[in-house]
Amino acid sequence: MSENIPTYEAAVIGSGISGMYVTYRLRELGVDFRVFEAGSDVGGTWYWCRYPGARFDSESWSYGYFFDKELLQEWDWKEHFSPQPDTLEHLYLVADKHDLRRDITFNANVAAAEFDDEANQWTVTFEDGSRVRATLLISCLGVLSAPTLPDIPGRDDFQGQAFHTARWPHEPVLFEGKRVGVIGTGATAIQAIPEIAKTAEHLTVFQRHPNWAAPLHNSKTTPEEQKDIKARYEEIYARCWETAGCFIHTPDPRSALDVTPEEREAFWEKLYSEPGFGIWIGNYRDILTDERANALATEYMTRKIRERIDDPEIAEKLIPKNHGFGLRRLPLESGYFEAYNRSNVRLVDLLEAPIEGITAKGVRTTVEEHELDILVYATGFDGVTGGYDNIDIRGPGGRRLRDDWKDDLPKTFLGVINDGFPNLLMVLGPHTSRGNIPRHIEKIVDFNIGIIRHMRENGYSRIEVRPEEAEKWLAQVKDVNEGRLAGKIASWQTGVNANVPGRQTIRVLGYYGGAVRYREQAEQVAAEGYKELLFR
Ligand code: NA7
């Protein structure tokens, strides 16, 4: 007897911000589909990353979905930079309002997906061995869905509690009276450390390389501000679409080199005292492209760290030496540097004393053993391609996506469909534009939905990219990456992860030609009938 496998027009992986919006749009289009989510509810990043201090560092009111105008008026962002619990509450409200959960299967971990070249159909296999089939496979994996633990011996030996920040428990973790250790000093740790320090008996921060960080200046939204935000949503949306990353901030047209030192200082002091990403992406136009301009900004930020840290030796350890200011995704902080002025916080410099291993009692460096009750791994993600690499995705003839992306750059069209992998559509795949994520997601999902509508209207069951168009897109991706100083710096954004074998080489993984240029090209492709794609 043949196996009775549920079969759909589309199977969707993930119900984060992308997957939720895909659910809404597929249903609207009348597609027979099912969403499969590893977690027990919707929310993606905001479902998984429940660590203390987790919050937006783009303005809340520029971040939420804009597709539901009614909801924009119904929902109050309580803070200008929303904390994770409020954001998740917002996403649950979206799910409730649109009854999204009825199309989603939760606790479903996709292990593999294989394309049947004759039937034009994907077979998706879950970790529990169950399977579904679908003509289209739509990946909504996000860019940070594959958390990585440090490659340190003895991790299983630790007798206390241990958590990765992206797999944080749903119950509160209490730090009172506890000796806590945090490994990592990226954006996540920079949010978590000041919060943990408030209640832990003692906090030890294990730092390999420091990162730049600037003050968030978060505040509660007043009733007057709520009213004003709601009245200005059209304007806020339009503003987002005027900027390179869809944030509200845009670079100052002047060069840092063309103004006097006094003018520079005054401008930087102003940006440093303002909320949000202004100091990073509202700065002089050349601080991220010109080495000399970047060196000036780096010198300013170095001074700010020294000003905020009481002990000059600790300040020196917290100043990044391996990259200039802003050349990695800038973390915004609320009292991060001041946390090191507390008597219950100790910074351990792993460049001086590397970790030898995790023991039953804590962390042992080459110098001493640090006894801990709770160990927090703020050690990041296998960025952009990691979520895909974790699934055994096989196209026609058994070709594995993982192998295609092993040493070579992904060859996609608009980051939406990969060469040689028919009927696999991606939202936030490699080589889509980056920045304020929901703004990009809405456009990319709409583009994907347009493709699906075109297939349905014409009775097509197969779509793939013309290989020469994927080559052209890759050439453009490389071209617009030229001149970006950040393109030469190792980080999750350039695909580097010290804990993942084979991921030590810098790659271009985003489209950095700007959101507007990306959107215009996508809209033109749709308007001209998708001639870059092959339909059958
Ligand atoms: P990041 O920014 O990739 O930071 C990871 C941190 O973990 C970083 O400080 C690493 O130090 C450290 N790390 C990783 N492995 C080790 C080992 N083995 N030993 C010691 N330290 C280690 O991830 P985040 O989660 O903070 O932020 C990711 C994004 O989430 C962020 O950009 C926002 O967009 C949201 P290293 O620099 O490698 O020396």
Side-chain angles (χ1 to χ4, degrees):
M1 210 171 73
S2 72
E3 197 186 345
N4 191 10
I5 299 179
T7 302
Y8 306 96
E9 202 176 333
V12 180
I13 311 176
S15 71
I17 297 192
S18 305
M20 289 172 69
Y21 185 46
V22 164
T23 306
Y24 174 83
R25 298 283 272 138
L26 286 177
R27 194 189 285 165
E28 194 182 49
L29 197 61
V31 173
D32 173 30
F33 73 101
R34 188 94 200 141
V35 181
F36 299 94
E37 163 60 53
S40 64
D41 210 332
V42 299
T45 287
W46 304 105
Y47 166 90
W48 294 107
C49 296
R50 297 164 186 249
Y51 61 86
R55 67 170 67 246
F56 292 164
D57 36 22
S58 49
E59 290 72 9
S60 312
W61 28 272
S62 73
Y63 186 99
Y65 288 120
F66 273 69
F67 74 87
D68 183 341
K69 303 279 178 274
E70 215 178 74
L71 193 85
L72 285 173
Q73 296 303 321
E74 284 164 12
W75 172 258
D76 289 336
W77 289 108
K78 297 187 199 72
E79 300 182 34
H80 284 277
F81 299 89
S82 179
Q84 177 272 335
D86 289 3
T87 305
L88 192 60
E89 188 189 325
H90 172 70
L91 294 172
Y92 284 174
L93 178 68
V94 175
D96 290 342
K97 184 174 172 199
H98 295 288
D99 192 15
L100 298 180
R101 291 184 186 88
R102 77 176 144 91
D103 288 320
I104 307 172
T105 302
F106 294 103
N107 305 304
N109 253 310
V110 177
E114 190 170 6
F115 190 68
D116 179 334
D117 207 17
E118 275 169 26
N120 289 331
Q121 208 173 43
W122 285 95
T123 301
V124 179
T125 307
F126 299 90
E127 265 177 10
D128 66 1
S130 62
R131 295 194 286 175
V132 299
R133 290 203 177 111
T135 307
L136 289 167
L137 182 59
I138 306 176
S139 150
C140 294
L141 285 164
V143 289
L144 292 168
S145 55
T148 47
L149 287 164
D151 186 14
I152 301 174
R155 275 201 332 256
D156 293 339
D157 298 342
F158 184 57
Q159 297 294 305
Q161 293 176 287
F163 314 106
H164 190 287
T165 48
R167 289 293 177 271
W168 201 259
H170 291 204
E171 316 71 55
V173 177
L174 302 175
F175 300 107
E176 281 84 357
K178 297 283 180 358
R179 297 161 304 172
V180 184
V182 173
I183 300 182
T185 47
T188 297
I190 285 171
Q191 289 188 330
I193 285 164
E195 282 306 308
I196 297 173
K198 283 179 191 165
T199 54
E201 180 184 304
H202 190 268
L203 171 61
T204 310
V205 178
F206 298 92
Q207 168 185 274
R208 197 160 54 183
H209 297 99
N211 278 291
W212 299 103
L216 176 66
H217 296 300
N218 181 37
S219 58
K220 301 248 190 261
T221 42
T222 64
E224 296 72 44
E225 283 171 333
Q226 296 281 6
K227 231 173 117 190
D228 175 58
I229 290 165
K230 287 182 184 177
R232 289 193 306 109
Y233 268 127
E234 295 284 330
E235 191 192 311
I236 292 165
Y237 186 76
R239 171 66 182 159
C240 289
W241 278 106
E242 280 167 11
T243 71
C246 285
F247 295 110
I248 59 160
H249 308 275
T250 199
D252 187 285
R254 293 170 295 171
S255 160
L257 306 167
D258 286 348
V259 295
T260 64
E262 294 74 26
E263 271 179 88
R264 259 196 320 259
E265 185 76 10
F267 183 48
W268 284 341
E269 283 289 292
K270 174 178 169 293
L271 292 178
Y272 199 82
S273 67
E274 286 175 351
F277 278 138
I279 187 84
W280 184 35
I281 49 181
N283 212 312
Y284 295 115
R285 65 171 155 78
D286 51 358
I287 68 146
L288 304 179
T289 52
D290 184 299
E291 303 267 8
R292 290 163 309 159
N294 185 260
L296 291 171
T298 299
E299 190 273 327
Y300 172 80
M301 293 301 289
T302 302
R303 267 192 286 130
K304 297 314 273 184
I305 296 176
R306 289 193 183 126
E307 277 170 22
R308 290 175 61 185
I309 301 285
D310 296 343
D311 179 337
E313 264 182 49
I314 295 186
E316 288 319 299
K317 290 184 197 300
L318 289 167
I319 296 166
K321 312 287 188 307
N322 64 352
H323 64 291
F325 170 68
L327 303 187
R328 284 180 175 167
R329 195 279 203 192
L330 183 74
L332 296 183
E333 44 83 26
S334 306
Y336 175 64
F337 293 107
E338 287 71 16
Y340 294 98
N341 297 334
R342 298 175 67 111
S343 57
N344 67 334
V345 176
R346 175 171 171 202
L347 179 68
V348 172
D349 185 346
L350 300 179
L351 297 178
E352 282 175 2
I355 297 178
E356 278 185 344
I358 311 283
T359 65
K361 289 186 185 156
V363 173
R364 194 183 59 242
T365 68
T366 48
V367 171
E368 64 190 298
E369 184 172 27
H370 300 265
E371 294 193 5
L372 304 167
D373 304 304
I374 301 176
L375 180 54
V376 177
Y377 294 111
T379 44
F381 302 83
D382 185 3
V384 190
T385 49
Y388 292 83
D389 287 349
N390 284 348
I391 302 173
D392 188 5
I393 300 175
R394 293 175 193 235
R399 179 171 165 180
R400 296 169 89 185
L401 191 64
R402 199 188 272 169
D403 293 340
D404 264 36
W405 292 0
K406 191 162 162 256
D407 300 316
D408 295 328
L409 287 179
K411 272 192 204 138
T412 77
F413 183 61
L414 292 167
V416 157
I417 181 161
N418 198 81
D419 176 36
F421 289 80
N423 294 15
L424 170 59
L425 295 174
M426 301 180 286
V427 181
L428 290 188
H431 300 165
T432 45
S433 58
R434 297 265 186 275
N436 189 356
I437 292 275
R439 295 289 66 75
H440 291 78
I441 284 173
E442 282 178 348
K443 286 292 169 206
I444 297 165
V445 170
D446 289 349
F447 180 74
N448 278 319
I449 291 291
I451 293 175
I452 299 169
R453 184 186 296 112
H454 185 76
M455 290 179 78
R456 292 168 62 103
E457 283 171 358
N458 293 282
Y460 297 130
S461 58
R462 180 170 172 129
I463 176 205
E464 51 204 308
V465 58
R466 295 177 191 275
E468 66 276 17
E469 295 297 336
E471 292 285 356
K472 271 200 245 168
W473 183 249
L474 180 58
Q476 189 182 149
V477 163
K478 287 184 186 166
D479 185 49
V480 296
N481 190 55
E482 284 301 312
R484 290 177 64 246
L485 299 176
K488 299 178 196 137
I489 303 295
S491 77
W492 68 263
Q493 291 186 309
T494 49
V496 175
N497 186 311
N499 302 304
V500 180
R503 286 293 174 235
Q504 274 71 52
T505 313
I506 287 176
R507 292 174 289 158
V508 198
L509 289 180
Y511 173 77
Y512 295 103
V516 175
R517 192 165 157 197
Y518 178 89
R519 187 189 72 179
E520 283 172 357
Q521 293 182 79
E523 285 175 352
Q524 190 179 348
V525 169
E528 292 175 359
Y530 308 99
K531 56 185 172 26
E532 294 78 2
L533 306 175
L534 267 171
F535 294 90
R536 276 199 253 154

